Amino acid sequence: MSFETVIGLEVHAELLSETKVFCTCKSEFGGKPNTRICEVCTGMPGTLPRLNEKVVEFAVKTGLATDCEITEITRFDRKNYFYPDLPKAYQISQLYLPICRNGHIEIKTENGKKRIGIHEIHIEEDAGKLIHAESGTLIDYNRCGVPLLEIVTEPDFSDADEVIAFLEALRSILTYLGVSDCKMQEGSMRADVNLSVRSEGSRELGTRTEMKNLNSFHDIADAVKSEAARQIALIESGEAVIQQTRRWDADRGESYAMRSKEAANDYRYFPEPDIPPIDISESFINRITSALPELPAAKKQRYMNELGLSDYDASVLTNDIYVVGFFEAALKDCGSPKEVANWVLGEVLRLLKDSGTDSKSNPLKPEALVKIIEMVHTGKINRNTGKAVLEKAFYDGVDVEKYVSENGLSLITDSDVIKSAVEAVIAGNEKSVTDYKRGKTAALGYLVGQSMKALGGRADANEIQKLLREMLN
Amino acid sequence: MRCGMNDITGMTALELSAAIRQKNISVTEAVNAYLDNIEKLNPELNCYITVCRDEALSRAAEVQSGIDSGRICGRLAGVPIAIKDNICTKGIKTTCASKMLENFVAPYNATVIDRINAEGMIILGKLNMDEFAMGSTGETSYFGSVKNPVNPEHSAGGSSSGAAAAVAAGLAPTALGSDTGGSVRQPASYCGVTGLKPTYSAVSRYGLIAYASSLDQIGIIGKTSADCAALFDIISGADERDMTCSKEFVFDYNSVRAENVAGKKIGIANEFLNVGLSPAVKQNLLDSAERFETLGASVEYFDLTELKYAVPAYYVIACAEASSNLARYDGVRFGHRSEAAKTLDEMYVFSRSEGFGDEIKRRIMLGSFVLSQGYYDAYYKKAVTAKQLITKAFEKAFERYDFILSPVAPDTAPKLGESLGNPLKMYLSDIYTVTANLAGIPAVSLPCGYDCNGMPVGIQLMARRFGEADLLSAAAAFGREADL
């Protein structure tokens, strides 16, 4: 029997509003424990929530960017349960009238394009953080009340690649909108995976499990593959899949069932009486629509159509809003999109990766790259030198023009100097010369290399090659 | 009658502030007069859980110098006030008359407290009440029952028992209470004073420790409706910390005039008379109707069939919201934490079992049940629909009538110890008062007579939403006429 996998995601994104969703505490990451709290977000008796309008704006922005219907009158509901990281013993969330519904994101994998449905997007508040220490369990409420968007997809995924493609596309959109910075390692983006299997072609859904504690895209991909395999193995051996919540252990590469208490929870949802229903007016939606930035899909299309970039190049560039920022800034002063794209995709991304730097914290200034490209273009330096200078600018922040002149890196223009260097190489490499004359073209490459070395790399390799050919023929 | 009223403590709040302005009395004298009464009578009446003697005297000196310099000039500047113990007062214990919050010191002021402080009023202390505002006789308090000053063998009503008793006995000129199903109006009527429940959303709930969020309002108990109007002017109005508080409402204090009741139409719902009224209460209702007629109003009887849903809808909604509002009392961050607990679950279960009284547990269980899976539609959702029906029925009634008149309770104050054995009977006695909370309309209870045992009887006047000016005008006229 062959199986197919059915996957749905629940993604939580922490929002970049300056303050929390229901009080005026600052909503940044980190900080000494219990320093960003107040009577409201710690659920003191008598306190009431006060909705941060920026959060509503962010939610509507996200809904519009994912083609959702925006709910005209949206409401909050209480989700009641006991846990020490939840001070009010209820979470203010949205169940009955979430702010956005019925959207989609288009993804592309090896198998082609696919539309992933978004069932709903809603606003809710985050809980605090439990820290298990020897003395007992400590609770930090800094994170309590941080605004979250929960994005629930339809069960439209069939494998790990699609899941990752979706998460990358979603992360792109959210970072483009400035709504979240989607850093899984900081917890500003979290995903729970709902997965079930069924025989291929079947219409019915199998029993699904929910997986938590997925802390990176890597974890998610592994967990999807592992869980699908686990469920298939169970069914093939005649056992049934139990509906449960499972916790992923990245070190072990496997998941284990959490205590079934989770499943037994009746959250006793009811409409939040402390927050009146919110009217989302047409004019509010129009205002946000007109202020939407160019989104990843549209930008990619434009890069392909107007700038002549390839599908692949445009894809990679538009994936990251900070890379886009760098690229478009450089483009302002440089007329060749393909050239800038090559440098960004080739050198800039490599430097970021090698040094483990966040694209947001890129130390390079776009002007530096523009200057290097110009110097190569005008023949002042060659490409290799350009790459070396760029690296210097990245790591040490040097002024690129100054660096070139101070270190004598510009191309040698004196033809006599070049000629005598080449002559010396020819004289000192009889064997290679002979080989070349005998037809071994590779020997020419060696002689070019030696000439470049003799000239301290400050020559144009094509010119050297031309000169060598002239002199040897 | 246990009453310490002398020259100073016999004055209304408005009279007292006038005397202070005219320099006939100093603020410190006024505060001391009340502190003396409290010292004399509180041990028996048990109105106060916390008396803020030192703070009140130091504040009195501050306010006096503020008045002298012209910096403080509020209408009620220098007048003492007492606060029901479910309203947060920064740095002062706020216990909700519960073991759960026995030692809880509020870390912030409720909005209404900021407003009365800005006015230059002086807080005498925190008043006893039914635990977490759940109860109708003052007997669920962890700190013992309040005694009715008119006859200490009787209850002072609830849940703002301490507030009503204190004003009646001269232990405070005026008090802030809270009203979710009648908790300001009923004790006021049992003790023979005036109690106002504002329109839902007229007064900020920020800092009122929540019982039922869609029904709670901070209310006022005073010797006269004029005092209530003056205090309402201070505490009402927009507050951005409470999203349910009306942004538009502004009370027009100057439009409150006793003359305004002439020509008004008053309706009495027939259903109100069908419920086991005691003869004294029924007679007082009829007498009150007559009094309004002599004032130039017309009285008519009409049907309000939706009233049959009122008590069940109230208890389903109130208990549901309470079960959620009281879930935060878990022993984790503040409040009672059981010493016997060894695990997380034990901490929750033991702390709450030890910290809450029986009536609280009853209502939390009821509330959790009506919200639970499988029962939500049948109970909670239905109750909300009933609330909407009742609201619409009152809106319709107010198209015909300017006010609706009713009893406050089926009988006068019961004897202490008689009620807790029959909670259902106790719930049903809320029939007249819960309607105003469900419909969100303002209502005032006014003293209008006594029964044959000398226990006070009150009547209730209700008006349309934000109709406090009209309501208090009618109350003022009635008060003059009744000459109490």
Side-chain angles (χ1 to χ4, degrees), chain B residues 352-372:
Chain B
R352 289 165 67 80
S353 300
E354 291 166 16
F356 287 142
D358 284 350
E359 187 59 35
I360 310 306
K361 291 175 184 161
R362 186 174 291 122
R363 297 194 194 196
I364 290 176
M365 286 195 287
L366 213 152
S368 306
F369 175 74
V370 301
L371 288 177
S372 63

Side-chain angles (χ1 to χ4, degrees), chain A residues 239-255:
Chain A
E239 286 178 53
V241 173
I242 304 172
Q243 178 173 1
Q244 63 195 186
T245 302
R246 300 180 66 85
R247 196 183 150 84
W248 179 251
D249 185 334
D251 296 330
R252 291 243 211 76
E254 57 185 12
S255 65

Side-chain angles (χ1 to χ4, degrees), chain A residues 22-24 38-50 274, chain B residues 86-89 107-115 176 200-210 213 216-218 235 237-245 328:
Chain A
F22 296 122
C23 66
T24 52
C38 70
E39 67 245 18
V40 177
C41 56
T42 51
M44 286 287 138
T47 54
L48 297 171
R50 190 169 140 197
D274 291 331
Chain B
N86 61 353
I87 297 173
C88 286
T89 41
Y108 70 100
N109 270 334
T111 298
V112 297
I113 299 299
D114 284 339
R115 290 179 183 181
L176 291 185
Y200 182 81
S201 80
V203 178
S204 169
R205 289 185 298 116
Y206 190 82
L208 169 65
I209 296 179
S213 317
D216 289 343
Q217 271 292 275
I218 291 176
I235 65 171
D239 180 17
E240 50 182 19
R241 293 191 290 181
D242 174 0
M243 287 186 81
T244 62
C245 186
R328 69 189 64 198

Side-chain angles (χ1 to χ4, degrees), chain A residues 3 5 195 197 222-236:
Chain A
F3 289 87
T5 314
L195 189 151
V197 298
D222 284 351
V224 166
K225 292 176 194 145
S226 155
E227 181 61 10
R230 186 190 74 88
Q231 289 193 12
I232 290 171
L234 273 176
I235 295 174
E236 279 180 338

Side-chain angles (χ1 to χ4, degrees), chain A residues 38-312:
Chain A
C38 70
E39 67 245 18
V40 177
C41 56
T42 51
M44 286 287 138
T47 54
L48 297 171
R50 190 169 140 197
L51 180 60
N52 181 342
E53 283 182 11
K54 200 91 199 142
V55 172
V56 177
E57 224 182 88
F58 280 10
V60 171
K61 251 183 171 175
T62 306
L64 291 172
T66 53
D67 238 338
C68 290
E69 294 159 15
I70 309 297
T71 306
E72 229 180 282
I73 298 180
T74 186
R75 230 180 37 196
F76 288 91
D77 303 297
R78 290 192 188 178
K79 180 180 182 184
N80 299 280
Y81 65 95
F82 287 90
Y83 205 58
D85 66 2
L86 195 65
K88 297 188 297 296
Y90 58 86
Q91 178 197 39
I92 300 179
S93 177
Q94 297 189 289
L95 179 74
Y96 297 109
L97 291 171
I99 188 160
C100 309
R101 287 180 280 198
N102 300 330
H104 67 269
I105 292 182
E106 215 170 75
I107 59 167
K108 198 167 152 204
T109 60
E110 279 173 4
N111 300 330
K113 287 192 183 163
K114 187 170 180 179
R115 191 178 256 217
I116 302 292
I118 290 179
H119 181 74
E120 55 145 281
I121 300 177
H122 70 252
I123 299 168
E124 58 184 36
E125 53 177 347
D126 210 344
K129 225 187 278 193
L130 297 185
I131 300 159
H132 301 286
E134 265 175 47
S135 51
T137 302
L138 308 170
I139 313 170
D140 176 12
Y141 290 107
N142 281 355
R143 198 183 65 180
C144 207
V146 163
L148 296 176
L149 273 190
E150 180 170 337
I151 298 135
V152 182
T153 73
E154 299 291 356
D156 287 345
F157 300 99
S158 30
D159 61 43
D161 288 342
E162 290 178 2
V163 169
I164 302 304
F166 175 85
L167 288 170
E168 281 181 353
L170 178 64
R171 180 168 63 181
S172 271
I173 292 173
L174 293 176
T175 51
Y176 268 57
L177 294 174
V179 145
S180 173
D181 60 16
C182 294
K183 292 186 183 164
M184 287 204 81
Q185 69 276 23
E186 283 180 9
S188 59
M189 184 179 196
R190 301 164 225 165
D192 295 338
V193 170
N194 295 315
L195 189 151
S196 64
V197 298
R198 62 185 176 193
S199 53
E200 199 153 16
S202 159
R203 288 292 194 84
E204 275 179 41
L205 286 170
T207 307
R208 71 160 198 256
T209 59
E210 184 184 13
M211 275 191 295
K212 290 182 175 291
N213 196 39
L214 304 164
N215 298 322
S216 66
F217 283 7
H218 192 72
D219 280 2
I220 293 170
D222 284 351
V224 166
K225 292 176 194 145
S226 155
E227 181 61 10
R230 186 190 74 88
Q231 289 193 12
I232 290 171
L234 273 176
I235 295 174
E236 279 180 338
S237 65
E239 286 178 53
V241 173
I242 304 172
Q243 178 173 1
Q244 63 195 186
T245 302
R246 300 180 66 85
R247 196 183 150 84
W248 179 251
D249 185 334
D251 296 330
R252 291 243 211 76
E254 57 185 12
S255 65
Y256 54 91
M258 291 171 80
R259 285 184 338 158
S260 56
K261 240 186 166 197
E262 286 273 339
N265 249 329
D266 174 2
Y267 294 115
R268 285 170 280 119
Y269 280 98
F270 70 100
E272 171 58 79
D274 291 331
I275 304 177
I278 313 285
D279 224 306
I280 310 284
S281 68
E282 280 245 24
S283 61
F284 182 79
I285 296 176
N286 290 338
R287 181 166 62 82
I288 295 183
T289 308
S290 59
L292 282 177
E294 184 181 38
L295 292 173
K299 196 183 280 291
K300 177 186 162 184
Q301 208 51 50
R302 183 169 66 82
Y303 280 11
M304 288 169 65
N305 297 345
E306 288 176 20
L307 303 182
L309 298 183
S310 72
D311 187 300
Y312 178 79

